[in-house]
Structure formats: structure tokens, C-alpha cells
Amino acid sequence: MVADDEIDPAVRSILDAARERTVEADRIAADARSLPDAFAAARADGRVPVIAEVKPTSPTTDGVRETDPVAAAEAMVAGGAAALSVLTEPEHFGGSPETLDRVRAAVDVPVLRKDFVVREAQLDAVAADVVLLIVRFLDETGTDDLADLIDAARERGFQVLVETHSRAELDEALDAGATIVGVNNRDLAELTVDLGTVERVAPAIPEDVTSIAESGIATPDDVTRMCEAGADGLLVGSAIMSGPIEATTERLVGATCPDAETERTH
Ligand SMILES: O=C(O)c1ccccc1NCC(=O)[C@H](O)[C@H](O)COP(=O)(O)O
């Protein structure tokens, strides 16, 4: 359980809003595009597997980026992104399920739904290829259990990215059956970013689990650093959204990136 006095007020507000959000919709049946296959295709093509994030704003962003989400998504794919992430959280990130729907219809790469899902019914807000579940947010009162949510998401056809920030959270994710694990460099309690987080956590991710380094990745050197730590893929939002979108994506996917499996030693 994350104590109130340990968490940034902006994140507390995100969590409170997530717990209150109700979704009354039919059960989703997603026909998912494979994220691991998209990563493999990018590798085979000489591109670093990057999930580029359509992120209009956030608690750590100044103002709102007015770029049309579909135009941004198309520029990301043109720049070589293996997959996309679309924020659907409305109150703190300027996203919506409708935006994800429009983006997913416009591209043929897998699309991650980036939101703060804490209850099963919230999975039915919109079809996507991958949904995010955040370990840190699922040990609070009023949220469903991580393993139950993973099962519920898979029953609907989603792939599941389980986000962690520490070795203990990684253990929780693996125990719950995660096969795609993110390590977030952003500490969601303090909103600080430290690329050393992936360096500490990723080496413990089993080889048969897809690992994704998240947040704070801005330069080709950062990409190389995350690959050397063992990341199979990277999630990049702010650096790409700050643009120029296509050229920035191209620069990051063209970085030097050793094969993650040779970097993980177990
Ligand atoms: O990005 C934020 O300000 C933020 C604040 C509070 C909770 C979550 C937040 N971000 C979610 C993310 O994980 C990022 O959008 C994603 O990893 C991309 O990060 P970046 O490349 O640093 O924009």
C-alpha cells in the first residue's frame, strides 16, 4: 500500500480519479496485433523497437501539445516506431478512448492503451492491442488484484504490459504471470526520473519475458544505455512529442542498441 504522505499530490489526484471512473460498456473482444512480433520485425529491419507515445500533456509537462493525435501517430510510424502508446486518461493527460480508437484505425502497428486501470470494468472503455497495468497502483483500497486483472484483460484478447519500478514490484509482476514487463524510470511517488532504475531492475527480468524501458529517454545515448541494461524495447513520450515528431523518432530508432538477450545474463 502506498501511503498518502509518500505520494506526489498530482499522482494522488490521478489515482483518486482512476478509482472513481466508471465504465458502462459491453465487454471488449480485442483482436490484438502482437507487440513481440512488432519488436522482432523492427529488430530484423535494423530499427530499435520503440513504442512512441501520443501524450498531449501530463503533470510534468508545461501546457498542452496541440498536435492532432492521428497526425502525430502517423509521423511516429513514418519515423520507424514499432508500436504506439496512446494516453486515454482525460483529466491529467488530455487523452480519451476516442483518440485511441482514431489512432488505431489510422495505423497498422500495435497500440498500447496508456491509462490507470484499477478495476475490471475499466478494461471495456476501448479496444486496444495492449493494456497497461501498474503494480504500484494496484495495491490500494478500491482496486482489483493484479493477477485477476491480467486474466480479465487476456480473456478480452488484450496483451498486458505490467509496469514496475523496483525489484520487489518486478517479483510481484512475475508472480502474477506477466509476460511483458515495463520498468518505469519515473518514480510515481516523487515524479523524479532516474535512468538508473532500468539498470537496476531490467537485469533480473527473465529472458522469455519482453522487457520495456519507460520514461525519461530523450537521446540516442539514452537509448543505447537502456538497451545495454537489457531492455528489449523502449517507451518514449515527451522527447518525441516535443518534436519534430518524425525526425526525432527516426533518430531514436536509429540508435546503437545491442541485442537485449545478450545483455541479460540469466
Ligand atoms: O509523465 C508524467 O508526467 C506522469 C506523471 C504521473 C504519472 C505518470 C506519468 N507518466 C506516465 C508515463 O509512464 C510516461 O508517459 C511514459 O513512460 C513516457 O514518458 P516520457 O518519455 O518521459 O514522456
Side-chain angles (χ1 to χ4, degrees):
M1 170 90 59
V2 186
D4 266 3
D5 58 358
E6 286 173 14
I7 204 161
D8 184 277
V11 178
R12 171 53 50 203
S13 168
I14 292 169
L15 261 172
D16 290 344
R19 274 198 306 237
E20 280 162 26
R21 199 164 301 128
T22 53
V23 174
E24 286 174 26
D26 291 341
R27 188 187 172 96
I28 289 281
D31 181 14
R33 304 164 189 165
S34 165
L35 185 68
D37 286 358
F39 278 12
R43 284 257 177 210
D45 193 33
R47 288 175 286 132
V48 180
V50 168
I51 305 173
E53 183 161 281
V54 178
K55 182 177 182 182
T57 189
S58 83
T60 59
T61 304
D62 286 333
V64 178
R65 300 170 180 119
E66 302 293 351
T67 321
D68 172 65
V70 172
E74 287 172 338
M76 290 163 175
V77 173
L84 300 179
S85 164
V86 178
L87 262 308
T88 57
E89 203 274 0
E91 289 153 61
H92 304 82
F93 292 84
S96 71
E98 294 71 29
T99 299
L100 186 145
D101 234 3
R102 287 174 54 221
V103 166
R104 190 160 178 256
V107 300
D108 57 8
V109 299
V111 179
L112 163 71
R113 178 181 170 206
K114 197 77 189 301
D115 208 323
F116 302 86
V117 170
V118 294
R119 279 194 312 279
E120 179 173 348
Q122 294 170 339
L123 291 167
D124 294 320
V126 63
D129 302 290
V130 191
V131 289
L132 176 75
L133 297 176
I134 303 175
V135 171
R136 186 165 210 151
F137 285 3
L138 292 174
D139 59 359
E140 296 226 332
T141 315
T143 71
D144 287 349
D145 175 70
L146 174 62
D148 292 345
L149 274 177
I150 292 175
D151 289 346
R154 287 182 180 148
E155 281 162 13
R156 287 163 167 79
F158 295 115
Q159 298 155 94
V160 185
L161 166 58
V162 180
E163 181 179 300
T164 67
H165 182 69
S166 66
R167 292 287 278 261
E169 288 184 6
L170 171 62
D171 289 344
E172 278 187 62
L174 297 174
D175 288 348
T179 56
I180 305 174
V181 169
V183 181
N184 199 342
N185 288 311
R186 181 172 284 110
D187 181 334
L188 295 185
E190 297 175 354
L191 292 186
T192 50
V193 174
D194 171 13
L195 297 192
T197 311
V198 165
E199 291 173 324
R200 287 187 289 279
V201 179
I205 298 177
E207 267 179 32
D208 59 352
V209 169
T210 302
S211 65
I212 299 172
E214 301 175 27
S215 301
I217 301 156
T219 67
D221 283 349
D222 293 340
V223 171
T224 304
R225 187 174 163 191
M226 295 296 94
C227 291
E228 286 175 344
D232 295 310
L234 300 96
L235 173 63
V236 184
S238 307
I240 289 176
M241 285 301 286
S242 302
I245 291 175
E246 182 174 338
T248 307
T249 307
E250 210 166 7
R251 205 159 57 91
L252 296 178
V253 306
T256 303
C257 179
D259 191 340
E261 282 185 15
T262 61
E263 302 302 313
R264 298 210 294 258
T265 51
H266 56 280

